Amino acid sequence: MRVRYSYLQQQFADIDDLWDKLRRFVKTGDFTIGKPLAEFEKRFAELIGTKHAIGVGSGTDSLKLSLKAAGVGHGDEVITAANTFIATAGAINEIGARPVFVDCDDTFCMDVDRLEDTITENTKAIMPVHFTGYLTDMPRLMAIAGKHGLPVIEDACQAILGAIDGKNGGTWGLAGGFSLHPLKNLNVWGDGGVIVTNDESMDGKLRLLRNHGLSSRDEIVVMGYNARLDTLQAVVGTWLIGQTGKITEKRIANAAYYDDRLSPISGIRIPPRPANMRCVYHLYVVFAEDRDGLYGYCRSKGIECKIHYPIPLYRQQGLRFLGYKPGDFPVTDRHAASIISFPTDQHLSRDEQDYVIETVRAFYAGG
Ligand SMILES: *Cc1c(COP(=O)(O)O)cnc(C)c1O
């Protein structure tokens, strides 16, 4: 059996109604900003439960523009989690600020116990990353941020509809950034991103920043960016957004199915599953003994498992200028050596899951 990681061919196989919508859209010529974007933004704000949603060019843009709108700039420090996708650190770097890492805990998010030690007089914002679909411990993080008067911009790119005590990721801080990249839980046909906020002034600034700082055709109020969400992608997003709840439920159900059947296997350890947290499993990650052996074995049996990520950011050549040295983030290092991700998406079948589980069991039983 082959168990693929990407489901994109399945997801968009039967979409005649979307083609009809796109045909009608193309005839309007409303390709930048325009009505379909406003409609998508309204639906997205309703989905997350914020006053405002602002469509931007990518998840990276959502973070970059939010930091900029919060007043972060050249020479400032932004505290973020050590294990994340490069885009988090990239967004901070793009506005001239410096990413400062905090080690993770076994939920793959920032270990909030270690946050306060990294705050300096140069710290201008905190960017928790809700990695893999877990939420960072936001009640405690917000208390620390509040005590130090620091704005919080949430990287919620992997955590759409993830929540703590029913409060969604992206709604805790001043703003939250989401990605609509094809591999994310709510996905369009290329790059796209959305910022959510309840703050009136942030909303105004972000709408300017994403569109060259233009307040009208002829007036530039601030220096901005070309960072609009393509209106065509907004049409795709509006078509899909109603399915986000179901997609999320399916991922959660698939993860629970794995948890039940993988947890008795002696070589596997399931990460903590806090009862008050809704983890949305953008990635399904477990800890594995002899991870490299298991990875190779699963691959040889046709299972496209992955590692998110094998080389922590702070050890990457491109980030050497930050001055970190091997061993600075021991938990992230331990994760890099022991984590493995299995497909958990809404298109995965029970047969495929059973095959993954049987293969893992066979590996630890001696192949
Ligand atoms: C995907 C992702 C981003 C960036 O999203 P893009 O849309 O690819 O720019 C940022 N942070 C995290 C954690 C992500 O997974």
Side-chain angles (χ1 to χ4, degrees):
M1 192 183 230
R2 180 175 171 263
V3 183
R4 85 291 174 276
Y5 198 86
S6 171
Y7 47 90
L8 294 174
Q9 292 178 348
Q10 277 162 283
Q11 186 180 21
F12 296 112
D14 182 17
I15 52 161
D16 286 347
D17 54 334
L18 176 53
W19 283 125
D20 288 343
K21 284 192 169 59
L22 288 169
R23 233 174 257 120
R24 263 176 275 139
F25 162 69
V26 168
K27 282 185 193 158
T28 67
D30 203 3
F31 295 141
T32 47
I33 311 282
K35 259 199 225 150
L37 178 59
E39 187 192 344
F40 175 69
E41 291 176 336
K42 185 165 171 286
R43 294 282 301 274
F44 199 93
E46 282 166 9
L47 179 73
I48 306 298
T50 50
K51 279 193 205 145
H52 309 287
I54 303 100
V56 291
S58 66
T60 309
D61 281 346
S62 75
L63 305 175
K64 180 174 89 180
L65 268 60
S66 295
L67 288 170
K68 189 89 184 166
V72 181
H74 208 84
D76 295 338
E77 290 176 4
V78 178
I79 298 175
T80 192
N83 186 25
T84 179
F85 180 55
I86 175 58
T88 315
I92 296 166
N93 183 67
E94 263 195 83
I95 58 162
R98 182 183 180 83
V100 174
F101 295 129
V102 176
D103 211 353
C104 301
D105 61 25
D106 278 357
T107 67
F108 311 111
C109 296
M110 179 190 295
D111 181 350
V112 177
D113 280 339
R114 302 171 196 250
L115 168 59
E116 221 163 359
D117 285 349
T118 60
I119 296 174
T120 71
E121 59 200 17
N122 296 321
T123 306
K124 288 292 149 55
I126 303 171
M127 180 168 281
V129 183
H130 305 321
F131 198 58
T132 77
Y134 270 99
L135 251 61
T136 311
D137 184 349
M138 292 309 287
R140 285 182 54 228
L141 185 140
M142 291 307 297
I144 295 168
K147 183 174 143 197
H148 293 268
L150 292 168
V152 173
I153 308 292
E154 293 169 72
D155 180 343
C157 287
Q158 298 197 359
I160 190 164
L161 297 185
I164 291 179
D165 295 327
K167 187 169 167 57
N168 280 331
T171 69
W172 293 80
L174 181 60
F178 293 86
S179 169
L180 304 172
H181 183 278
L183 293 177
K184 300 293 157 78
N185 292 14
L186 171 61
N187 51 343
V188 295
W189 291 355
D191 282 306
V194 188
I195 304 161
V196 297
T197 183
N198 286 315
D199 187 284
E200 222 54 53
S201 140
M202 282 291 279
D203 179 60
K205 284 185 209 166
L206 288 164
R207 285 179 195 284
L208 287 171
L209 284 175
R210 74 163 172 194
N211 194 25
H212 303 293
L214 287 161
S215 63
S216 69
R217 185 182 172 282
D218 301 316
E219 284 161 291
I220 298 125
V221 199
V222 289
M223 292 300 279
Y225 303 88
N226 180 349
R228 298 174 297 253
L229 174 61
D230 275 339
T231 309
L232 180 129
Q233 301 298 357
V235 174
V236 177
T238 300
W239 176 83
L240 192 62
I241 196 168
Q243 299 173 35
T244 317
K246 276 212 172 110
I247 291 171
T248 307
E249 293 304 332
K250 191 72 181 23
R251 284 173 174 269
I252 292 171
N254 287 347
Y257 189 84
Y258 273 140
D259 275 7
D260 280 352
R261 287 153 184 82
L262 290 177
S263 56
I265 300 173
S266 67
I268 296 290
R269 185 166 68 83
I270 309 290
R273 306 295 191 205
N276 65 338
M277 192 184 295
R278 179 161 133 121
C279 177
V280 294
Y281 301 99
H282 172 63
L283 307 172
Y284 179 83
V285 182
V286 295
F287 299 104
E289 265 169 41
D290 185 13
R291 192 275 316 276
D292 292 340
L294 176 65
Y295 177 86
Y297 184 76
C298 288
R299 286 258 158 185
S300 77
K301 298 289 177 187
I303 297 168
E304 264 188 83
C305 45
K306 307 231 168 190
I307 295 160
H308 298 91
Y309 294 98
I311 308 170
L313 285 183
Y314 85 95
R315 288 169 173 261
Q316 297 278 358
Q317 181 185 333
L319 289 86
R320 215 169 269 167
F321 70 97
L322 293 175
Y324 290 116
K325 48 186 198 314
D328 279 351
F329 302 97
V331 179
T332 295
D333 282 339
R334 170 167 60 78
H335 288 180
S338 63
I339 50 175
I340 188 163
S341 313
F342 294 110
T344 191
D345 58 88
Q346 65 272 23
H347 296 281
L348 194 70
S349 70
R350 273 289 138 89
D351 283 352
E352 288 171 310
Q353 279 200 285
D354 286 337
Y355 180 70
V356 171
I357 293 155
E358 277 318 311
T359 306
V360 173
R361 199 175 285 144
F363 173 74
Y364 288 109

